[in-house]
């Protein structure tokens, strides 16, 4: 498998596979393992049903009992419109095919909308852990607006047999305070009912684009979003892979007063290497005790290579897996299964180690 990984990485293979992190040492991190649930949450306030559902996620699929997860997320029918998401492969208008892809692809779990998972729950909820995404941003309002609003409630997720719930907060947006309050309450109820929680800690504000640089994927800003997410007891954090840094500094130029930062973030805790930038995201998730899964991103021309690259960066940084949707479902099912398996192979490969 290592040779295949090297081939996918191409010219970046040496930089990504042999990089040594000298910022936040690997010894400081909690490292994914077969005992992840007990080690990370055994002394926490999480109830036994929550631990059991977390263990069901960690014990499913091809990555079972490794400490790593591969999750198929399909909520793009709401977030990006069904036509835009499924036109490439209309089979996925049928919710059952979404669940089948997750199962045949060896995923630990499937995350989708209330409608998708409710319609299939009696047939599949006991076969693969279900994660109900309870809020979404819809793009039918004219003109388009960007606000994560509740489409489902926690008890609906519990009633259909979900193991966990997922939600998004657009940190930095005008609506973020309301979203933070809503999702904090939802996570508390989910834990009461025995379900685990996954938070998409995304940034959303036009001001985060400064000139040609988009700081929505800046390590310092996304790291702080992660830290806010673990504060409301997210059990897993989903974040986009960092592509730049210095967001706080850029937004504080020309007399602006935004947030607080420390120069050591940029001189000691990070470098410009993608693994070091991602390690800073991991550090903000309580040094990895709350697992970081990075997003697989949009489908394009080099999906397999891009997916392998993201998985290698996440694993070597100290993350716990990948959540990849469009790259998998916007292609025939057999190819989607192969892509998911290719991602999982990175986490199964002992030669890809913590940097």
């Amino acid at each position: 498998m290592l040779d295949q990984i090297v081939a996918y990485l191409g010219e970046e293979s040496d930089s990504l596979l042999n990089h040594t992190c000298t910022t936040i040492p690997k010894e400081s991190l909690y490292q994914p393992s077969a005992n992840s649930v007990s080690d990370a949450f055994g002394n926490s306030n999480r109830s036994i049903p929550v631990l059991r559902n977390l263990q069901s996620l960690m014990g499913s699929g091809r990555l079972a009992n490794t400490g790593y997860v591969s999750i198929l997320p399909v909520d793009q029918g709401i977030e990006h419109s069904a036509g835009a998401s499924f036109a490439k492969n209309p089979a996925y208008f049928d919710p059952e095919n979404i669940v089948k892809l997750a199962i045949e692809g060896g995923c630990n779990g499937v995350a989708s909308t209330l409608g998708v998972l409710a319609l299939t729950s009696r047939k599949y909820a006991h076969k693969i852990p279900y994660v109900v995404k309870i809020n979404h941003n819809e793009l039918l309002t004219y003109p388009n607006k960007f606000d994560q609003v509740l489409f489902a409630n926690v008890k609906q997720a519990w009633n259909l047999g979900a193991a966990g719930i997922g939600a998004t907060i657009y940190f930095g947006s005008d609506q973020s305070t309301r979203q933070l309050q809503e999702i904090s309450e939802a996570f508390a109820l989910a834990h009461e009912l025995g379900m685990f929680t996954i938070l998409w800690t995304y940034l959303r504000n036009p001001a985060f684009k400064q000139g040609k640089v988009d700081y929505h994927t800046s390590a310092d800003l996304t790291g702080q979003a992660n830290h806010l997410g673990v504060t409301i007891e997210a059990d897993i954090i989903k974040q986009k892979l960092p592509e730049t840094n210095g967001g706080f500094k850029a937004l504080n130029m020309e007399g602006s007063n935004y947030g607080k930062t420390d120069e050591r973030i940029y001189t000691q805790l990070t470098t410009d290497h993608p693994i070091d930038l991602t390690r800073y995201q991991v550090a903000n998730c309580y040094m990895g005790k709350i697992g970081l899964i990075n997003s697989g991103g949009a489908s394009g021309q080099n999906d397999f290579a891009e997916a392998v690259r993201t998985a290698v960066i996440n694993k070597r940084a100290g993350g716990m897996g990948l959540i990849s949707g469009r790259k998998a479902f916007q292609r025939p099912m057999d190819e989607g299964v192969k892509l998911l398996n290719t991602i999982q192979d990175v986490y199964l490969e002992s030669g890809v180690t913590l940097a």
Side-chain angles (χ1 to χ4, degrees):
M1 286 191 292
L2 187 58
D3 289 344
Q4 184 184 46
I5 293 169
V6 170
Y8 278 127
L9 294 177
E11 294 180 356
E12 285 192 288
S13 61
D14 182 63
S15 172
L16 293 179
L17 292 174
N18 297 315
H19 174 70
T20 299
C21 184
T22 58
T23 54
I24 298 170
K26 63 182 181 181
E27 292 79 13
S28 301
L29 300 180
Y30 169 79
Q31 301 180 26
S33 72
N35 296 317
S36 286
V37 174
S38 296
D39 292 346
F41 296 104
N43 292 324
S44 75
N45 64 343
R46 286 11 174 223
S47 67
I48 291 173
V50 171
L51 299 184
R52 184 169 60 241
N53 275 320
L54 277 167
Q55 191 62 53
S56 74
L57 180 75
M58 303 300 294
S60 298
R62 292 183 73 230
L63 297 182
N65 303 316
T66 63
Y68 296 104
V69 298
S70 166
I71 297 174
L72 177 72
V74 186
D75 61 349
Q76 290 86 350
I78 305 299
E79 298 278 348
H80 304 152
S81 90
S85 300
F86 303 137
K88 289 184 180 179
N89 194 349
Y92 290 105
F93 277 109
D94 183 342
E96 186 169 2
N97 286 327
I98 293 172
V99 182
K100 283 182 177 179
L101 175 60
I103 293 174
E104 294 183 21
C107 292
N108 298 69
V110 57
S112 194
T113 66
L114 174 67
V116 165
L117 297 181
L119 199 63
T120 59
S121 59
R122 288 187 183 274
K123 188 172 182 179
Y124 293 107
H126 59 294
K127 296 180 180 179
I128 184 171
Y130 271 24
V131 180
V132 177
K133 183 74 163 36
I134 63 171
N135 69 347
H136 305 283
N137 175 65
E138 57 87 15
L139 291 178
L140 196 57
T141 301
Y142 184 86
N144 286 158
K145 61 180 181 179
F146 299 92
D147 185 11
Q148 289 284 332
V149 296
L150 292 169
F151 273 56
N153 65 55
V154 176
K155 287 191 175 180
Q156 287 174 300
W158 179 73
N159 279 327
L160 66 82
I165 66 166
T168 298
I169 295 176
Y170 281 157
F171 289 106
S173 72
D174 290 342
Q175 301 82 20
S176 62
T177 299
R178 190 207 79 241
Q179 294 168 11
L180 183 63
Q181 292 169 331
E182 288 176 350
I183 302 310
S184 178
E185 292 177 5
F187 279 10
L189 179 56
H191 281 156
E192 272 187 50
L193 295 174
M195 293 181 288
F196 61 79
T197 58
I198 303 178
L199 187 64
W200 280 240
T201 53
Y202 286 175
L203 302 180
R204 173 75 71 171
N205 193 308
F208 291 164
K209 292 185 178 180
Q210 297 282 316
K212 295 183 179 180
V213 183
D214 188 348
Y215 290 103
H216 283 93
T217 54
S218 183
D220 55 350
L221 298 181
T222 55
Q224 180 60 19
N226 291 356
H227 201 68
L228 294 174
V230 298
T231 300
I232 63 170
E233 293 193 336
D235 299 315
I236 297 171
I237 292 290
K238 180 195 175 189
Q239 182 58 270
K240 296 180 180 180
L241 204 68
E243 297 176 357
T244 188
N245 206 0
F248 277 117
K249 294 200 289 186
L251 291 161
N252 270 298
M253 295 176 68
E254 299 180 359
S256 173
N257 184 21
Y258 174 71
K260 290 184 180 297
T261 191
D262 188 307
E263 187 62 25
R264 284 167 289 196
I265 294 172
Y266 314 104
T267 60
Q268 296 180 27
L269 301 183
T270 62
T271 71
D272 60 359
H273 196 286
I275 291 174
D276 294 345
L277 295 176
T278 307
R279 177 153 299 180
Y280 185 71
Q281 289 185 341
V282 172
N284 275 278
C285 297
Y286 296 153
M287 281 297 188
K289 287 187 174 181
I290 304 300
L292 171 70
I293 52 178
N294 286 118
S295 171
S299 180
Q301 298 297 315
N302 301 298
D303 285 349
F304 281 79
E306 290 173 1
V308 167
R309 180 182 187 273
T310 303
V312 167
I313 292 170
N314 173 272
K315 183 180 182 183
R316 299 212 68 219
M320 71 174 294
L322 216 59
I323 186 164
S324 187
R326 283 172 287 173
K327 281 180 167 59
F329 71 74
Q330 289 186 335
R331 60 182 67 245
M333 186 172 289
D334 59 340
E335 292 183 19
V337 168
K338 181 180 178 181
L339 185 135
L340 292 168
N341 289 168
T342 300
I343 290 170
Q344 294 152 11
D345 287 346
V346 173
Y347 293 96
L348 293 171
E349 173 54 58
S350 60
V352 179
T353 60
L354 198 62

